[in-house]
């Protein structure tokens, strides 16, 4: 038995579709809080202080939102490992990265601004990193050079979660069979709350099945949630 394999201690309850549902719900909660509720005084009243942190309703919603990125990365890695066509998988990421950039800019700045990039670009860089990691599997020097060059591209492009997000994706892929290392990487590379750490336990409950999201239409709908919800939030902001 693999000495790192402690996953048997956790019940296998969640399909890939359930993890996608958790990730999307967490993302929606976070974005509603940060883009729509932050300016509402009643939602920012301090309930109490915990370890020096003022606890408000908005803060609690944002902490729930910390589940999203680790789960999206886990799903990215699982999708990469199990997809029948890795080239097409990368093409989907590129397509939705481009499509999402306009609503991402609008909701953040109110106009088109390319000084930072949406999370699909972060996932796309992670996908490229996984392809190069596999391509140079027998050449550690070129693999290291490729990772350094990609890291520089991530920094220059200013993607969501930045360099730590890219490193997190690569750790999650390189040690995808080691749940202890993945848990440590989640806590160390994505600091901020207990909710981030707890997301690793949701991952360990993955049962390896696809779940109810099976048809191409449902798959596209999952990707489309990101740009569509950002556009809706932007339109709501314009009306209030």
């Amino acid at each position: 038995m693999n000495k790192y394999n402690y996953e048997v201690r956790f019940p296998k309850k969640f399909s890939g579709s359930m993890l996608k549902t958790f990730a999307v719900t967490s993302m929606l909660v976070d974005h509603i809080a940060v883009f729509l509720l932050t300016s509402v005084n009643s939602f920012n009243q301090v309930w109490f202080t915990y370890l020096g942190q003022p606890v408000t309703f908005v803060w609690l919603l944002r902490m729930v939102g910390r589940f999203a990125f680790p789960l999206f990365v886990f799903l990215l890695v699982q999708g990469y490992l199990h997809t029948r066509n890795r080239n097409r998988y990368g093409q989907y990421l590129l397509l939705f990265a481009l499509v999402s950039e306009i609503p991402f800019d609008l909701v953040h700045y109110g106009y088109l601004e390319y000084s930072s990039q949406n999370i699909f670009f972060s996932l796309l860089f992670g996908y490229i990193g996984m392809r190069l990691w596999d391509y140079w599997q027998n050449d550690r020097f070129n693999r290291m050079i490729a990772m350094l060059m990609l890291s520089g591209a991530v920094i220059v492009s200013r993607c969501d979660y930045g360099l730590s997000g890219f490193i997190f994706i690569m750790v999650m892929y390189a040690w995808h069979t080691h749940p202890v290392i993945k848990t440590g990487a989640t806590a160390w590379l994505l600091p901020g709350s207990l909710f981030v750490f707890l997301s690793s336990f949701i991952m360990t409950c993955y049962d390896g099945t696809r779940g109810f999201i099976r048809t191409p239409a449902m798959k596209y709908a999952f990707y489309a949630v990101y740009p569509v919800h950002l556009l809706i939030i932007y339109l709501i902001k314009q009306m209030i």
Side-chain angles (χ1 to χ4, degrees):
M1 178 182 295
N2 190 319
K3 66 179 180 179
Y4 296 103
N5 189 7
Y6 301 114
E7 290 183 304
V8 293
R9 297 182 181 180
F10 298 94
K12 304 295 186 178
K13 296 291 187 180
F14 302 138
S15 66
S17 299
M18 286 300 299
L19 294 184
K20 289 178 180 179
T21 302
F22 292 150
V24 166
T25 302
S26 174
M27 176 186 68
L28 292 175
V29 167
D30 182 47
H31 288 174
I32 289 172
V34 70
F35 293 121
L36 296 178
L37 303 183
T38 300
S39 59
V40 181
N41 292 332
S42 59
F43 291 123
N44 288 278
Q45 294 179 355
V46 178
W47 295 343
F48 57 90
T49 301
Y50 177 72
L51 298 178
Q53 170 63 52
V55 176
T56 66
F57 182 66
V58 168
W59 180 87
L60 182 61
L61 294 183
R62 296 228 62 196
M63 292 304 99
V64 173
R66 298 308 92 196
F67 278 109
F69 184 68
L71 291 179
F72 278 124
V73 170
F74 179 80
L75 292 166
L76 171 75
V77 172
Q78 292 300 314
Y80 177 81
L81 289 170
H82 297 107
T83 184
R84 296 178 181 178
N85 189 325
R86 288 183 172 176
N87 289 332
R88 184 179 299 171
Y89 190 63
Q91 291 168 3
Y92 288 150
L93 291 173
L94 175 60
L95 173 63
F96 280 93
L98 296 174
V99 169
S100 301
E101 191 59 25
I102 293 177
F104 175 84
D105 289 342
L106 290 176
V107 79
H108 279 85
Y109 309 108
Y111 53 88
L112 298 184
E113 170 60 59
Y114 302 107
S115 59
S116 60
Q117 318 306 325
N118 68 78
I119 196 171
F120 266 110
F121 280 104
S122 305
L123 300 178
L124 178 62
F125 277 117
Y127 162 82
I128 296 172
M130 291 187 289
R131 293 301 301 263
L132 293 176
W133 186 270
D134 289 343
Y135 184 80
W136 297 111
Q137 60 182 328
N138 297 318
D139 191 332
R140 292 185 178 181
F141 177 78
N142 280 326
R143 175 187 277 181
M144 179 185 68
I145 295 300
M147 294 303 105
L148 289 175
M149 292 179 65
L150 268 178
S151 297
V154 168
I155 293 172
V156 171
S157 63
R158 299 182 64 183
C159 298
D160 258 6
Y161 288 90
L163 182 59
S164 63
F166 173 71
I167 295 174
F168 177 67
I169 294 174
M170 296 312 303
V171 170
M172 290 288 284
Y173 178 63
W175 286 277
H176 63 269
T177 60
H178 296 175
V180 173
I181 294 178
K182 291 192 299 184
T183 300
T186 305
W188 180 60
L189 290 169
L190 302 176
S193 75
L194 178 64
F195 292 96
V196 173
F197 181 74
L198 290 177
S199 67
S200 62
F201 293 99
I202 297 179
M203 301 173 199
T204 63
C205 294
Y206 173 54
D207 65 7
T209 64
R210 182 180 299 179
F212 56 86
I213 299 179
R214 292 180 175 272
T215 65
M218 295 183 72
K219 183 190 302 183
Y220 296 142
F222 168 70
Y223 284 118
V225 167
Y226 182 74
V228 169
H229 95 277
L230 289 180
L231 181 59
I232 291 174
I233 288 176
Y234 169 73
L235 293 175
I236 293 175
K237 288 177 65 176
Q238 299 309 300
M239 294 185 292
I240 60 178

